[in-house]
Amino acid sequence: MVPDEPPLTAHELGEEAAALIDELSRISAEEDKLTRLYLTPEHRNAADLVARWMRQAGLDVREDSLGTVRGRLPSSMPAYGEKCLLIGSHIDTVIDAGKFDGALGVICAILAARELRKRGIDLPFDIDVLAFGDEEGVRFPTTLLSSSALAGTAPYSELDARDANGISVAEALREFGGRPENIQDLKEVPEKLVGYLEVHIEQGPVLEREALPVGIVTSLAGAERHWITVQGEAGHAGTVPMDARKDAVSAAADLIVSMETAAKSARSDGVVATVGELGIHPGAVNVIPAQVKMTLDLRAATDRPRAAAIDEIKARAARISRKRGCPIEFDQFHEVVTSPCSEIFQDAAKRAIASMGIRPFRLMSGAGHDGQAMKALTDIGMLFVRCRKGISHNPSEYVSIEDMGMAVEATVRWVAEIAQQEMKA
Ligand code: HGY
Ligand code: MN
Ligand code: MN
């Protein structure tokens, strides 16, 4: 293929990425902060915007029945067969989010696909750019649903999951324009895939400490999510003596500090425990709380220490329960195992990054990503992009224009390296 015109510089690509990031970040459920949850009107608007960008980049665009937007760049060498390289990230966000988490990966993929086409880089496979809609798992008690559907691991039961307003995934999907009945048809054929790549902000401090704009991901930490119910006894705040109470909040507080201590004692295995949501019933100023429901997000660098950590936490909960006379129940609703990244994709990334004069550096991911679902389907690869102070899931999340440009350029070269490998295979 003959190049159309001289390639944009990394700085020009960074400026373009920054403009797209800002445009997408303005699509939110809330005026003064960024919240864009799966299958909401904001997700609908964001999906339509991303589809427009994909068309402008010269991709053939369609949307699958779970709302994933897909842009195809056809292979330039059909003689090599009909394999496809998937590359993308997510456009849903957490509540009061930063504007780079997920969005930067989708934008890098779109700009890289366009650059590959414009530079006339030979591709022995199709490229499908993907914008997933349910990575964060904030609206429904599901997560990685849109990517799990491609992997064929999303059970029909997930369509019955309900949000805080009692709306099911299936109902919200129909409203969104999706077709929940087709969820099982979305499974990709593994033999037809080269793999799944994702570019994502690091959401940690390592690349900033190493003074590097991009890094190569070795594996994604496994994770599990639980609802914990602490059952106490409602009573009058003024008349029940302190030693006669079954105060659900005091028992929950005991447990929260105890879980934190358990995680800190296993820090060498990368164990982290977080209580992100907490609700008190009945929730009146002068009533001793009858019940607390809270979430536990538990992760570790590998699966064995995570299993040991949940056992330790449950043993601590049992002791607190006996001491306070408050039954404590755990209800696990999510687990994803540690997902190693393909050595072949890591080495291709290393060559790509080195060709830019950047020191190749490998690091693991404590954050979860769609690659954890895609690992059940095909080989995965991830590139991390430096973000200021490692801050994420926070409106002060920030990536510089230079680093975004480096990330796009690295993505172009990463795919070109993989293309070279496929041609030699
Ligand atoms: O929870 C995570 O690690 C990801 O941001 N969804
Ligand atoms: Mn993310
Ligand atoms: Mn996130």
Side-chain angles (χ1 to χ4, degrees):
M1 282 167 74
V2 178
D4 292 349
E5 55 206 64
L8 295 178
T9 64
H11 185 78
E12 288 167 326
L13 290 169
E15 285 184 324
E16 204 174 350
L20 299 182
I21 285 278
D22 285 344
E23 188 178 1
L24 184 55
S25 70
R26 287 193 285 272
I27 301 178
S28 172
E30 304 178 85
E31 271 302 304
D32 56 349
K33 49 186 162 180
L34 175 53
T35 301
R36 189 168 58 238
L37 306 186
Y38 184 42
L39 300 178
T40 57
E42 304 73 55
H43 175 203
R44 178 70 272 158
N45 293 338
D48 294 341
L49 176 64
V50 164
R52 195 165 80 236
W53 289 346
M54 288 182 180
R55 277 192 285 276
Q56 288 164 352
L59 308 182
D60 304 323
V61 183
R62 66 185 176 85
E63 186 173 300
D64 79 13
S65 36
L66 288 196
T68 298
V69 186
R70 300 183 67 137
R72 166 147 303 180
L73 176 65
S75 161
S76 60
M77 308 166 84
Y80 274 87
E82 49 173 15
K83 291 182 94 173
C84 184
L85 177 68
L86 305 174
I87 177 168
S89 193
H90 60 95
I91 54 175
D92 64 319
T93 73
V94 293
I95 296 167
D96 197 4
K99 55 188 183 180
F100 299 86
D101 178 359
L104 181 58
V106 173
I107 288 166
C108 274
I110 293 171
L111 295 181
R114 186 199 64 193
E115 285 303 297
L116 286 158
R117 182 177 57 76
K118 282 174 59 182
R119 297 183 194 182
I121 293 174
D122 276 333
L123 295 173
F125 43 67
D126 296 333
I127 288 178
D128 263 6
V129 173
L130 305 174
F132 289 124
D134 179 42
E135 191 277 340
E136 296 293 1
V138 169
R139 178 180 177 186
F140 299 100
T142 65
T143 181
L144 306 178
L145 182 60
S146 22
S147 42
S148 302
L150 298 195
T153 57
Y156 268 110
S157 57
E158 300 232 336
L159 294 170
D160 300 330
R162 293 185 181 279
D163 67 8
N165 300 316
I167 299 171
S168 73
V169 172
E171 289 156 356
L173 254 178
R174 286 190 192 93
E175 178 76 21
F176 183 84
R179 295 174 305 286
E181 59 282 2
N182 296 3
I183 186 171
Q184 304 288 16
D185 305 341
L186 289 179
K187 182 171 172 18
E188 296 276 348
V189 178
E191 296 71 31
K192 288 193 174 176
L193 295 177
V194 174
Y196 170 74
L197 305 183
E198 183 167 354
V199 179
H200 199 288
I201 54 171
E202 179 200 339
Q203 299 176 301
V206 174
L207 289 177
E208 189 168 65
R209 190 186 63 209
E210 293 290 329
L212 290 168
V214 292
I216 303 161
V217 180
T218 56
S219 75
L220 286 70
E224 57 191 84
R225 296 180 182 179
H226 299 254
W227 274 107
I228 301 175
T229 303
V230 180
Q231 191 59 46
E233 201 171 280
H236 194 298
T239 59
V240 181
M242 290 308 286
D243 59 2
R245 295 182 175 206
K246 290 181 181 174
D247 183 328
V249 164
S250 303
D254 244 354
L255 178 56
I256 291 167
V257 171
S258 184
M259 291 195 289
E260 183 186 55
T261 308
K264 283 181 175 173
S265 66
R267 70 163 57 84
S268 59
D269 289 318
V271 175
V272 285
T274 311
V275 174
E277 293 180 62
L278 184 145
I280 299 172
H281 176 78
V285 62
N286 57 353
V287 177
I288 301 168
Q291 187 187 74
V292 166
K293 285 177 91 65
M294 58 185 168
T295 57
L296 168 63
D297 176 311
L298 181 69
R299 310 187 193 200
T302 54
D303 297 331
R304 199 185 300 269
R306 179 164 52 84
I310 193 65
D311 289 347
E312 170 63 19
I313 283 171
K314 287 182 175 176
R316 288 166 174 255
R319 287 195 291 274
I320 291 166
S321 175
R322 280 193 298 276
K323 182 180 81 174
R324 290 179 170 273
C326 295
I328 298 176
E329 271 184 23
F330 286 72
D331 176 18
Q332 181 171 344
F333 64 91
H334 170 66
E335 178 173 23
V336 63
V337 296
T338 303
S339 309
C341 293
S342 144
E343 294 287 345
I344 293 173
F345 289 160
Q346 288 186 51
D347 293 344
K350 181 182 173 194
R351 294 192 299 275
I353 288 170
S355 75
M356 294 168 67
I358 298 170
R359 170 169 60 93
F361 179 82
R362 297 178 202 244
L363 69 166
M364 69 154 293
S365 172
H369 302 283
D370 283 299
Q372 290 170 309
M374 300 300 275
K375 181 70 186 123
L377 173 66
T378 187
D379 283 341
I380 64 171
M382 275 199 88
L383 272 188
F384 269 170
V385 187
R386 171 171 50 188
C387 57
R388 186 176 54 197
K389 296 198 183 103
I391 293 171
S392 181
H393 284 191
N394 179 316
S396 60
E397 197 177 82
Y398 174 78
V399 180
S400 72
I401 284 178
E402 283 314 311
D403 285 358
M404 283 194 274
M406 292 289 194
V408 176
E409 182 60 33
T411 308
V412 174
R413 296 182 188 213
W414 191 18
V415 173
E417 284 291 336
I418 294 169
Q420 284 298 319
Q421 269 171 328
E422 281 295 305
M423 285 186 251
K424 287 178 201 149

